[in-house]
Amino acid sequence: MTTMPPEAAGGAPLSLVSASLTSASGPLVLAVAAAVLSLIAVRLLERWLHARAVLDHPNDRSSHAVPTPRGGGLGLLAAALPLLIWDALSSGTGGPALPWVMLVGGVGLAALSWRDDLRPLPAIPRLSGHLLACYGALWALPLPGPVFQGLLPGPLDMLAAGLLWAWFVNLFNFMDGIDGISGVQTIALGTALALVAAATAVPLPVAAPLILAGAAAGFLVWNWHPARIFLGDVGSVPLGYLLGGMLLMLAAHGQWAAALIAPLYYLADATLTLLGRLARGHSPTQAHRDHAYQVAVRAGLSHARVSMVVAGLNALLVALALATAAGPLPAAVAVALAALLVGGVLSVMRWRPLWLGPVRAASGG
């Protein structure tokens, strides 16, 4: 693996964060612009989707009770993509820009997923598109080192990284099951990626993850419980792709612990739920409400309460990721603490959900 200078390996002072994030035309300006544009675009889109009856109708596996427009990701992407392209054309703001190959892959997956939102596609074409976008980008990206830190030989490292990336794309979609949760997760991951890149001087995008976080914040205004619009596959799939790609880039630059800790709640809930369902003989493609956050909602907690719990957990995970990347906390200790936090929250969601707050009456959304 490529040897990293001390400052890139996690020893840079935290003052680099403010220097990288607060310039007058810097990443924070783009993040605020993305939030405002997304706020407007998603509201206009909601009316358009209603008028054309592009609605998600409740069923026995839904966590909402009234028909709700689906496809809010179109508005989020309409706000984020022009800013991401502007950042790429200007060679990055506050750091390198998001690679063009990932932008192209994200747009391609958005088109595929919008088609799936309108008329569901079979699993094979969807998964083929995901794998093509992930492996195509991995082949083109100039990664400085192995994603799995040399534990796997070169070809196997790329094979495993592509499968992991495709799984992240899908789990990000699977986890989009209650109001607010995907917006909360995108804000957390975007913030973590930008802070770690800024604090460690690792040559990774700073503006791009903040643009996605800002666009998610604008969307979240309309998706908070009771949601007026849902993200849809057109939003969750490209977001999982872009965020997952940047996490792999972070790992390839030696910051494997931060890349693992930041998304650990989503990774753990989705992966453990899938493994549990497979062990019980269920099909991996069958829709369900077995994720821990869904169990908590079924027990009577509101969508808002569960999403706030996830937001609080994510805030701690972001802090741990930053502490191990730019501070003195050893990677193994940070990962162990993160695992304890996530394991504790998942256990409470599944078996003691009422510890998280009062039961509220069921309502639409």
Side-chain angles (χ1 to χ4, degrees):
M1 180 175 176
T2 303
T3 302
M4 302 297 295
E7 65 272 19
L14 291 178
S15 60
L16 283 174
V17 176
S18 59
S20 297
L21 296 182
T22 58
S23 62
S25 59
L28 287 179
V29 174
L30 296 178
V32 171
V36 173
L37 291 172
S38 179
L39 181 72
I40 297 169
V42 173
R43 179 67 178 105
L44 295 174
L45 182 67
E46 180 204 343
R47 298 175 180 174
W48 184 81
L49 293 170
H50 254 305
R52 283 152 183 80
V54 183
L55 303 175
D56 197 331
H57 294 275
N59 55 52
D60 57 356
R61 295 187 179 92
S62 302
S63 295
H64 63 289
V66 297
T68 304
R70 148 177 104 248
L74 282 175
L76 187 157
L77 293 176
L81 281 174
L83 296 174
L84 291 171
I85 292 171
W86 183 89
D87 184 51
L89 291 173
S90 60
S91 300
T93 305
L98 195 67
W100 281 104
V101 66
M102 287 178 59
L103 283 172
V104 172
V107 170
L109 288 181
L112 178 69
S113 301
W114 177 235
R115 167 63 175 79
D116 192 39
D117 279 329
L118 295 176
R119 292 185 298 277
L121 293 168
I124 290 178
R126 285 187 285 110
L127 293 177
S128 297
H130 300 168
L131 290 168
L132 177 63
C134 292
Y135 279 110
L138 279 175
W139 178 79
L141 286 174
L143 296 180
V147 171
F148 291 91
Q149 314 305 299
L151 295 176
L152 299 174
L156 286 182
D157 187 89
M158 184 174 179
L159 176 63
L163 291 175
L164 178 61
W165 193 356
W167 169 231
F168 192 81
V169 171
N170 281 273
L171 74 83
F172 207 93
N173 182 30
F174 298 158
M175 292 292 288
D176 182 35
I178 61 171
D179 302 345
I181 194 169
S182 288
V184 161
Q185 187 70 20
T186 301
I187 291 169
L189 288 182
T191 301
L193 285 161
L195 288 177
V196 170
T200 62
V202 169
L204 289 173
V206 173
L210 288 180
I211 289 169
L212 294 179
F219 167 77
L220 189 58
V221 172
W222 310 114
N223 183 242
W224 195 252
H225 186 67
R228 298 178 58 162
I229 190 169
F230 293 156
L231 190 60
D233 287 10
V234 69
S236 60
V237 169
L239 283 175
Y241 175 75
L242 295 175
L243 292 168
M246 286 188 279
L247 288 168
L248 290 184
M249 292 166 65
L250 185 63
H253 278 84
Q255 295 290 353
W256 66 270
L260 174 62
I261 290 169
L264 189 58
Y265 165 67
Y266 255 34
L267 280 171
D269 196 351
T271 304
L272 293 175
T273 299
L274 175 65
L275 293 176
R277 286 180 56 78
L278 290 174
R280 296 191 297 273
H282 295 295
S283 168
T285 60
Q286 181 183 9
H288 63 85
R289 291 195 298 165
D290 292 345
H291 292 108
Y293 73 88
Q294 292 170 315
V295 172
V297 169
R298 280 162 37 205
L301 296 184
S302 72
H303 292 217
R305 170 67 65 174
V306 176
S307 290
M308 287 172 64
V309 170
V310 173
L313 173 60
N314 278 335
L316 295 175
L317 294 177
V318 171
L320 281 173
L322 187 59
T324 190
L329 191 63
V333 174
V335 171
L337 289 173
L340 287 173
L341 283 171
V342 171
V345 170
L346 290 177
S347 298
V348 171
M349 282 182 173
R350 286 196 178 277
W351 295 296
R352 293 292 186 271
L354 300 189
W355 288 3
L356 299 174
V359 173
R360 298 186 181 184
S363 61

